[in-house]
Amino acid sequence: MTHDPAQSLLIAPPPPPRNLLVVRLTALGDIVQSLQIIQSVARQWPGCRITWVVRDTFAPLVEAAPFVHHVIAYRRKAGWRGLLETIRQIRRERFDMVWDMHGLIRPAFMTLAARSPQKWGRKSSKGLRGLSYNRFVPTPAGPPPHHAMTVHQQFLSTAGLDTTIDIPLPLKPISLTGQLDDDWKPFFNNDSKRDSSPLFVMFTDSSAANKMWNGYEALTRLIWVNYPDSRVVWCGLKPLPPPPPRCAAGPLP
């Protein structure tokens, strides 16, 4: 019997799960937006225990979210060994529901391996990826491309939840000192002179040319208008554009 993805869109919203697995491995911006979605989930399903699978590079960010109860760090650089290690960790628990908010082959494989009666994925997932899910989250209305936040909000609406995004996103303090080159440590270290000085960090990289944004300089100047004593850092793995005066710029460690 073949599975018709359209039929899954007509199913009534499920009861609140007690144990939710979120699969979102990368990238930084999408993880931040997914965190905002899951923050809304935690507010509306307060009794739900949330586990998150994420690439080890981004694990400290997800661990800083007070509403995420457990983080499984996927060691991508370990190859198949890292993937199998992650799958073993996933299968140690039973989940009421899995949300694959990523939609690529590795996250789909992790979703397929999870012990859960409900495995949700994006309707845009095709081929072998689509076989991992038994419920599909619809794509947003209107012509593509769609903003990642709009795509992720479809998980909320499919679950029968309010799609309002809570702002701000509260995070526990994250220590960066051990991950920085020596040249950057003095800039990020808190001392008596800088404790009250706001720090803004902008990640200027993008995975695709059509996602590049040319508004970093204007945003930086706007920050200085509103926060004259602030510090601004532009970070990226790719060559950075010349920053405006007073703005530190450099590659990520």
Side-chain angles (χ1 to χ4, degrees):
M1 180 178 179
T2 59
H3 175 70
D4 181 3
Q7 292 298 319
S8 66
L9 304 181
L10 304 177
I11 303 174
R18 293 173 297 176
N19 207 350
L20 171 67
L21 175 66
V22 176
V23 183
R24 176 77 230 189
L25 305 183
T26 60
L28 180 62
D30 290 333
I31 289 174
V32 171
Q33 292 168 4
S34 297
L35 281 169
Q36 292 180 290
I37 295 294
I38 300 305
Q39 178 180 219
S40 181
V41 169
R43 170 173 55 82
Q44 299 179 70
W45 288 342
C48 180
R49 183 177 188 272
I50 297 170
T51 299
W52 192 306
V53 185
V54 65
R55 186 176 172 182
D56 53 356
T57 304
F58 303 103
L61 173 61
V62 180
E63 290 170 344
F67 47 84
V68 176
H69 301 89
H70 179 55
V71 174
I72 298 175
Y74 163 50
R75 298 188 303 124
R76 181 177 178 181
K77 290 186 177 180
W80 282 104
R81 180 178 297 179
L83 179 60
L84 293 176
E85 174 188 88
T86 301
I87 289 175
R88 281 195 294 268
Q89 292 184 64
I90 291 173
R91 290 188 59 80
R92 287 174 186 166
E93 291 190 62
R94 289 187 179 274
F95 300 95
D96 300 312
M97 188 181 296
V98 182
W99 285 9
D100 179 2
M101 302 182 73
H102 204 137
L104 297 180
I105 189 65
R106 287 186 184 89
F109 194 57
M110 294 174 184
T111 302
L112 180 64
R115 298 194 296 169
S116 174
Q118 294 197 55
K119 301 178 180 182
W120 293 26
R122 288 152 56 175
K123 190 173 183 290
S124 57
S125 299
K126 299 179 180 179
L128 293 177
R129 290 176 292 167
L131 299 177
S132 299
Y133 318 123
N134 54 22
R135 184 154 188 183
F136 288 81
V137 175
T139 55
H146 302 290
H147 192 276
M149 180 63 81
T150 305
V151 173
H152 294 151
Q153 282 178 301
Q154 300 303 304
F155 281 85
L156 295 176
S157 59
T158 303
L161 299 176
D162 178 15
T163 59
T164 302
I165 301 302
D166 297 332
I167 299 175
L169 177 65
L171 297 175
K172 294 176 286 187
I174 304 174
S175 175
L176 296 174
T177 304
Q179 305 176 41
L180 297 172
D181 291 339
D182 290 338
D183 292 342
W184 280 102
K185 288 180 180 179
F187 191 85
F188 282 96
N189 283 341
N190 287 330
D191 55 36
S192 58
K193 296 180 180 179
R194 289 177 171 169
D195 281 346
S196 60
S197 175
L199 172 62
F200 296 85
V201 181
M202 302 184 190
F203 295 87
T204 60
D205 277 353
S206 179
S207 58
N210 64 341
K211 295 182 179 180
M212 294 299 292
W213 188 53
N214 60 1
Y216 291 107
E217 180 172 346
L219 178 58
T220 299
R221 296 188 184 281
L222 183 62
I223 289 172
W224 284 335
V225 168
N226 291 276
Y227 302 94
D229 297 328
S230 64
R231 294 170 290 150
V232 179
V233 183
W234 292 2
C235 298
L237 295 172
K238 302 173 185 176
L240 301 176
R246 290 184 56 205
C247 180
L252 286 171

